Amino acid sequence: MNPIRPVSDLRNHFAEISKEVHETRQPVFLTKNGYGDMVVLSMEAYENLLLESEIYTKLQGAEREAKATQQRFTSREVLQAVEEAIGE
């Protein structure tokens, strides 16, 4: 379970929170007046989250496209197209 801390800990224990998010690669949830307010992540974890989101979005688009057309490609055709695109 991800840690939940008061937002004041960000000011009072910044180094500790920074160390925690870098070592665990997990977010720390911050509350204000007992309610969720912010999430703190390391830059690496944030970039990974963005990448995963981008990949998921592209896969959803590919699934929609696959449902809209009957055109299919073999793995050899895909590999050949990739090689042509990168100039091999």
Side-chain angles (χ1 to χ4, degrees):
M1 182 165 192
N2 295 325
I4 301 172
R5 301 173 71 148
V7 74
S8 59
D9 278 4
L10 192 57
R11 179 184 63 242
N12 300 328
H13 303 283
F14 179 82
E16 181 182 317
I17 292 173
S18 177
K19 181 179 177 186
E20 184 174 346
V21 298
H22 283 92
E23 287 179 354
T24 66
R25 296 184 179 167
Q26 296 296 313
V28 171
F29 294 90
L30 301 175
T31 61
K32 185 175 181 181
N33 299 323
Y35 296 96
D37 187 50
M38 289 189 282
V39 177
V40 178
L41 287 170
S42 68
M43 286 296 295
E44 181 182 3
Y46 178 72
E47 288 170 356
N48 286 337
L49 187 62
L50 286 179
L51 178 62
E52 289 174 8
S53 176
E54 183 180 342
I55 290 169
Y56 180 73
T57 300
K58 287 183 179 185
L59 285 172
Q60 283 181 315
E63 286 179 354
R64 282 192 302 274
E65 187 176 332
K67 288 178 183 178
T69 180
Q70 294 299 314
Q71 185 177 19
R72 301 292 182 261
F73 300 96
T74 67
S75 58
R76 287 183 193 268
E77 290 170 327
V78 172
L79 182 58
Q80 183 180 2
V82 169
E83 287 174 345
E84 288 173 3
I86 62 174
E88 285 189 14

